[in-house]
């Protein structure tokens, strides 16, 4: 008995423990166990070799030729069809349906054979008696037409000559101007603009903004600053340059201590400065991001991108 609760037999509800079937049986390992033991015992099926197709019965499984309809009664298909027609005809309540006669073909042009109503007297080709033809009277006589086209000649048309109307100078331009002014008067508001034009992925000007700029702040007025006081130059001392004297600098001067070297006479070509040839110049290059954006997003696919 267990320490707490009921035992296994009491929980199952059996009167006694059931006996075991495999008591005393030898243990059979499942490793390397044959799949079909009967296939390795006693004599197996030994075929007699392949047989070639011939008119003999040796090339078939059955020892004798077996007919498919052997012992079957003979049936006449024509007789069976007749019996089926008789059985179907007994189901008819009245006589057999006879269709009307077919279309009748005409025997030639003008023939009414096969028509419903026959010939009509109104279409008869026979001539009818006609009254004698009396010609009508003569027409009204008038004067012959006057020569000339009427344009540039006076009194050649049926009515009177058209009066001359003044044709002002540049009338078409004046009428067009009046029509344009009338059109502007009837138009309400400005032209309709749709802001759906395809634009680039990156703005060309990074500092551009659609928002209006705030008003410019005026700087506060600056107070005028008085110029600084500058005293007059002091008196100059008397030295070799004679800067402080009243008389001008004397015309005679001493020779310089350093002797100047004489230069050879040079031509104009030799005096020109040598300038080396310029190297390759750089130019602006479009970035890889801009090229990829332009290729992937263009005018044709900007709506579906």
């Amino acid at each position: 008995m267990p320490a707490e609760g009921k035992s296994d037999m009491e929980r199952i509800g059996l009167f006694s423990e059931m006996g075991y079937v495999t008591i005393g049986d030898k243990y059979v390992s499942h490793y390397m166990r044959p799949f079909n033991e009967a296939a390795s015992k006693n004599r197996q099926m030994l075929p007699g070799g392949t047989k070639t197709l011939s008119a003999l019965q040796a090339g078939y499984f059955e020892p004798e030729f077996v007919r498919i309809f052997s012992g079957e009664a003979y049936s006449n298909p024509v007789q069976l069809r007749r019996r089926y027609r008789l059985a179907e005809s007994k189901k008819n309540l009245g006589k057999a349906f006879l269709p009307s006669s077919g279309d009748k073909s005409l025997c030639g042009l003008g023939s009414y054979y096969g028509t419903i109503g026959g010939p009509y007297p109104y279409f008869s080709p026979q001539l009818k008696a006609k009254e004698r033809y009396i010609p009508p009277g003569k027409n009204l006589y008038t004067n012959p037409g006057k020569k000339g086209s009427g344009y540039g000649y006076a009194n050649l048309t049926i009515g009177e000559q058209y009066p001359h109307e003044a044709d002002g100078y540049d009338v078409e331009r004046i009428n067009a101007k009046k029509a344009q002014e009338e059109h502007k008067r009837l138009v309400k508001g400005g032209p309709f603009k749709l802001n759906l034009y395809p634009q680039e992925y990156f703005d060309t000007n990074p500092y551009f903004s659609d928002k209006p700029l705030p008003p410019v702040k005026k700087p506060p007025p600056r107070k005028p600053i008085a110029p600084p006081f500058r005293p007059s130059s002091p008196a100059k001392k008397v030295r070799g340059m004679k800067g402080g004297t009243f008389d001008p600098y004397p015309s005679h001067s001493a020779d310089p201590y350093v002797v100047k070297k004489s230069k050879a006479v040079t031509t104009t070509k030799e005096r020109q400065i040598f300038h080396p040839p310029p190297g390759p110049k750089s130019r602006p290059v479009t970035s890889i991001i801009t090229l990829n954006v332009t290729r992937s997003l263009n005018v044709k696919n900007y709506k579906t991108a």
Side-chain angles (χ1 to χ4, degrees):
M1 292 292 292
E4 296 179 359
K6 298 181 180 180
S7 62
D8 296 339
M9 292 300 299
E10 292 177 353
R11 286 198 300 271
I12 292 175
L14 301 177
F15 294 99
S16 62
E17 187 176 0
M18 301 295 294
Y20 297 94
V21 181
T22 57
I23 294 176
D25 295 347
K26 294 182 179 181
Y27 174 75
V28 180
S29 177
H30 293 278
Y31 180 72
M32 297 296 291
R33 186 175 183 179
F35 175 72
N36 189 4
E37 297 181 2
S40 59
K41 297 179 181 179
N42 301 328
R43 179 180 288 183
Q44 305 300 319
M45 182 178 66
L46 299 175
T50 59
K51 298 180 181 180
T52 58
L53 182 64
S54 62
L56 302 177
Q57 194 64 24
Y60 301 94
F61 293 99
E62 298 293 337
E64 296 180 358
F65 182 76
V66 180
R67 295 180 60 87
I68 299 176
F69 299 102
S70 179
E72 187 177 358
Y74 173 73
S75 60
N76 190 359
V78 178
Q79 187 177 7
L80 293 176
R81 285 197 296 269
R82 288 176 180 176
R83 290 178 181 177
Y84 177 75
R85 290 174 184 174
L86 290 174
E88 292 294 328
S89 62
K90 291 179 180 179
K91 298 179 182 179
N92 296 334
L93 300 178
K95 296 181 179 179
F97 173 73
L98 298 176
S100 60
S101 58
D103 299 336
K104 299 178 182 180
S105 59
L106 302 177
C107 60
L109 295 176
S111 174
Y112 291 92
Y113 179 75
T115 58
I116 299 175
Y120 289 89
Y122 300 101
F123 298 103
S124 177
Q126 297 180 0
L127 298 176
K128 297 181 180 180
K130 296 182 180 179
E131 298 180 357
R132 182 180 178 183
Y133 175 74
I134 300 175
K138 296 181 179 181
N139 293 329
L140 179 67
Y141 288 96
T142 58
N143 293 332
K146 298 178 181 180
K147 296 181 180 180
S149 61
Y151 180 78
Y153 295 89
N155 301 324
L156 291 182
T157 57
I158 298 176
E160 297 181 355
Q161 188 74 13
Y162 290 101
H164 175 71
E165 293 183 0
D167 188 8
Y169 177 75
D170 208 359
V171 179
E172 295 181 357
R173 185 180 65 83
I174 297 172
N175 294 338
K177 186 177 181 181
K178 292 180 180 179
Q180 185 68 15
E181 292 177 355
E182 181 64 19
H183 173 70
K184 289 183 179 180
R185 187 182 64 82
L186 297 176
V187 170
K188 296 181 180 180
F192 177 73
K193 295 180 180 180
L194 192 64
N195 298 329
L196 294 179
Y197 186 79
Q199 299 179 358
E200 297 182 358
Y201 193 79
F202 295 103
D203 296 336
T204 56
N205 186 6
Y207 301 102
F208 177 76
S209 178
D210 296 336
K211 299 180 180 179
L213 297 176
V216 181
K217 296 182 179 179
K218 296 182 179 181
R222 295 183 178 179
K223 296 181 179 181
I225 301 174
F229 172 73
R230 292 181 182 180
S232 61
S233 60
K236 299 178 181 179
K237 297 181 180 181
V238 178
R239 289 292 185 270
M241 64 177 295
K242 308 297 182 181
T245 59
F246 294 99
D247 298 333
Y249 192 78
S251 60
H252 177 72
S253 61
D255 294 334
Y257 178 77
V258 181
V259 181
K260 295 182 179 180
K261 296 180 180 180
S262 61
K263 295 183 180 179
V265 179
T266 56
T267 59
T268 308
K269 293 183 178 180
E270 294 178 358
R271 293 179 181 177
Q272 292 179 356
I273 303 173
F274 172 73
H275 295 279
K281 298 180 180 180
S282 62
R283 63 184 302 275
V285 180
T286 309
S287 65
I288 299 175
I289 296 177
T290 307
L291 288 176
N292 293 335
V293 169
T294 306
R295 291 174 183 171
S296 61
L297 186 66
N298 48 46
V299 181
K300 296 182 179 180
N301 65 349
Y302 76 96
K303 292 184 178 179
T304 59

